[in-house]
């Protein structure tokens, strides 16, 4: 156990531990035992998701520094900026969120519904500017921070996905302790974890947390950035810096090896924020079998990965798989076209690689 709360302040924002339940029908279909850990329902904050778990540690830091405005960045349909705005709302802070065009998804309501609508309802300040997915610091984000300062505010900078930040990996490192406690209670061991990965701190935190436990397991990061090399660099950087942060505070953490980081690039095409026919088929499958709603940007791709890796026996029969659901369902509104047209749907279903 890392016991991070002994070393780092945390502002509790979520309903943790998030529930784990067995997916009976999906398990039968795939021939492996599938459980879902529901970080998508782990908070009351505007539909939650994985950022709430990360932001618990950053919010404590923002408050300690006396900041009054959270400033972050994401895509137009960013789940992250919606959750940053939610956290700002409950803590009585302001939120400025740069919302860049990261995906060329043709839809007249793309910048009006789903995540960005929720951000607006919560009194956030989405700034629609900038172009292109990248986790590096952007001028658009710097400009937003400058604008806050110019108004006499004190900004707290939260990078894309709350990832490339000294505290970004803590939430999911702590998640590993949470899973171990739930396993003990449930009398199971999850030998395989399937998780969507993009800006990196979710997988990086998990890698750090699980590496520190006695029993080893396989963590499969399903790339959603459609740039597996970039995703690997991000995960690796954050994992190593999280280990350093923990040690700097007097905690213990195990060194991370390259082989601890598994990233599968098979399910990210045709691009960040763009679903393939296979993504859409996976979303339908999880919804039809388990009433579990996944989205075309992230969880639909990790669900596609889970389904296909199990059917290919890359995840062997008899495995105990924990599918970590990181949220993202509000985005489905902005992707209704992918589910709408009947002839299109037939084509999608036929093209799905694992369709019966
Ligand atoms: N799943 C959802 C729903 C997300 O919003 C994100 C955010 O980017 C991810 C997965 C990927 O997590 P990370 O960016 O920490 O790699």
């Amino acid at each position: 156990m890392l016991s991070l709360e002994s070393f780092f302040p945390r502002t509790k924002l979520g309903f943790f531990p998030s529930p784990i339940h067995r997916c009976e029908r999906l398990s039968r279909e795939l021939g492996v035992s599938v459980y879902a850990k529901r970080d998508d329902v782990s908070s009351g904050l505007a539909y939650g998701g994985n950022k709430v778990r990360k932001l618990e540690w950053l919010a404590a830091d923002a408050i300690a520094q006396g900041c009054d405005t959270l400033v972050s960045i994401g895509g137009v349909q960013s789940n992250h900026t919606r959750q940053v705005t939610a956290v700002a709302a409950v803590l009585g802070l302001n939120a400025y969120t740069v919302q860049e065009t990261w995906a060329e998804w043709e839809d007249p309501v793309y910048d009006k519904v789903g995540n960005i609508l929720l951000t607006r309802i919560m009194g956030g300040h989405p700034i629609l500017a900038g172009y292109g997915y990248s986790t590096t610091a952007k001028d658009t984000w710097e400009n937003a921070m400058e604008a806050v300062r110019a108004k006499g505010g004190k900004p707290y900078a939260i990078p894309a996905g709350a990832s490339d930040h000294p505290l970004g990996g803590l939430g999911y490192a702590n998640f590993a302790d949470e899973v171990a406690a739930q396993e003990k209670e449930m009398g199971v061991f999850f030998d395989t974890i399937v998780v969507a990965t993009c800006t990196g701190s979710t997988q990086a935190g998990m890698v750090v947390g699980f590496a520190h436990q006695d029993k080893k397991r396989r963590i499969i990061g399903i790339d959603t950035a459609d740039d597996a090399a970039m995703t690997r660099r991000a995960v690796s950087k954050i994992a190593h810096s999280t280990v350093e942060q923990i040690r700097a505070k007097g905690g213990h953490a195990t060194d991370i090896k390259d082989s601890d980081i598994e990233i599968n690039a098979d399910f990210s095409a045709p691009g960040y924020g763009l679903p393939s026919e296979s993504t859409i088929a996976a979303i339908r499958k999880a919804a039809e079998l388990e009433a579990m709603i996944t989205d075309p940007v992230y969880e639909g791709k990790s669900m596609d990965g889970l389904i296909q890796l199990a059917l290919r026996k890359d995840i062997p029969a008899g495995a105990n798989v924990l599918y970590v659901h990181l949220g993202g369902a509000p985005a489905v509104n902005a992707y209704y076209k992918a589910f709408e047209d009947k002839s299109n749907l037939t084509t999608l279903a036929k093209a799905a690689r694992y369709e019966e």
Side-chain angles (χ1 to χ4, degrees):
M1 295 288 223
L2 291 168
S3 306
L4 294 180
E5 267 178 288
S6 321
F7 307 103
F8 296 92
R10 172 183 179 188
T11 301
K12 293 223 167 133
L13 298 165
F15 306 146
F16 297 122
S18 61
I20 295 180
H21 63 87
R22 195 174 148 77
C23 299
E24 207 55 64
R25 297 190 69 208
L26 197 54
S27 298
R28 231 176 291 140
E29 179 111 352
L30 301 184
V32 297
S33 211
V34 180
Y35 291 77
K37 180 145 171 81
R38 302 301 296 270
D39 273 17
D40 58 324
V41 296
S42 67
S43 100
L45 307 186
Y47 303 111
N50 63 338
K51 305 311 178 310
V52 173
R53 195 182 277 280
K54 304 182 197 184
L55 290 169
E56 288 195 330
W57 307 81
L58 277 72
D61 188 41
I63 292 165
Q65 290 189 30
C67 295
D68 57 18
T69 307
L70 305 182
V71 181
S72 197
I73 181 163
V76 169
Q77 274 299 328
S78 165
N79 300 301
H80 165 69
T81 51
R82 183 242 313 152
Q83 287 163 91
V84 166
T85 306
V87 167
V90 294
L91 296 178
L93 307 172
N94 296 314
Y96 281 74
T97 53
V98 177
Q99 316 257 173
E100 299 189 313
T101 299
W102 284 1
E104 293 287 358
W105 184 254
E106 278 265 331
D107 195 314
V109 295
Y110 192 73
D111 61 356
K112 294 180 177 56
V113 300
N115 283 304
I116 196 159
L117 173 61
L118 296 172
T119 298
R120 289 182 173 124
I121 291 172
M122 288 184 284
H125 302 276
I127 302 158
L128 284 120
Y131 185 87
Y133 172 76
S134 153
T135 50
T136 55
K138 298 269 195 82
D139 287 350
T140 45
W141 184 40
E142 300 291 346
N143 294 345
M145 261 161 337
E146 208 35 62
V148 172
R149 283 188 206 102
K151 284 189 197 158
K154 188 167 179 193
Y156 186 84
I158 303 177
S163 276
D164 194 4
H165 182 286
L167 308 176
L170 296 183
Y172 278 89
N174 193 55
F175 168 98
D177 282 9
E178 185 176 301
V179 170
Q182 287 174 299
E183 286 178 322
K184 211 163 161 193
E185 232 169 69
M186 296 168 74
V188 292
F189 175 72
F190 301 114
D191 48 61
T192 309
I193 311 272
V194 175
V195 63
T197 186
C198 190
T199 62
S201 60
T202 301
Q203 185 179 0
M206 285 185 191
V207 165
V208 171
F210 287 124
H212 200 61
Q213 296 175 358
D214 292 338
K215 273 176 112 175
K216 296 301 160 218
R217 47 184 118 215
R218 181 178 178 199
I219 304 164
I220 309 173
I222 306 292
D223 181 40
T224 60
D226 204 32
D227 186 339
M230 179 171 73
T231 304
R232 170 170 282 281
R233 278 197 303 279
V235 173
S236 176
K237 179 181 176 197
I238 298 162
H240 290 293
S241 74
T242 302
V243 167
E244 277 167 29
Q245 288 291 324
I246 295 169
R247 289 181 181 163
K249 291 281 180 185
H252 296 284
T254 302
D255 280 324
I256 301 305
K257 303 184 292 301
D258 276 355
S259 58
D260 293 331
I261 301 172
E262 176 176 348
I263 295 184
N264 188 310
D266 294 353
F267 310 100
S268 58
Y272 172 83
L274 302 174
S276 68
E277 293 169 353
S278 190
T279 319
I280 297 301
I283 293 171
R284 289 189 180 284
K285 182 79 72 188
E288 287 168 9
L289 294 180
E290 299 290 344
M292 189 154 70
I293 305 303
T294 54
D295 70 284
V297 185
Y298 301 105
E299 308 308 294
K301 292 186 176 178
S302 60
M303 180 54 65
D304 192 18
L306 164 67
I307 292 170
Q308 296 197 48
L309 293 177
L311 293 181
R312 281 180 203 166
K313 309 284 184 229
D314 183 318
I315 297 176
N320 254 341
V321 183
L322 187 65
Y323 172 78
V324 187
H325 193 319
L326 301 176
V332 294
N333 296 293
Y335 285 85
Y336 73 93
K337 276 189 180 175
F339 303 91
E340 190 184 46
D341 173 35
K342 279 247 178 334
S343 59
N344 192 19
L345 292 185
T346 312
T347 317
L348 290 173
K350 273 193 188 142
R353 276 166 273 169
Y354 53 84
E355 190 66 19
E356 308 98 311

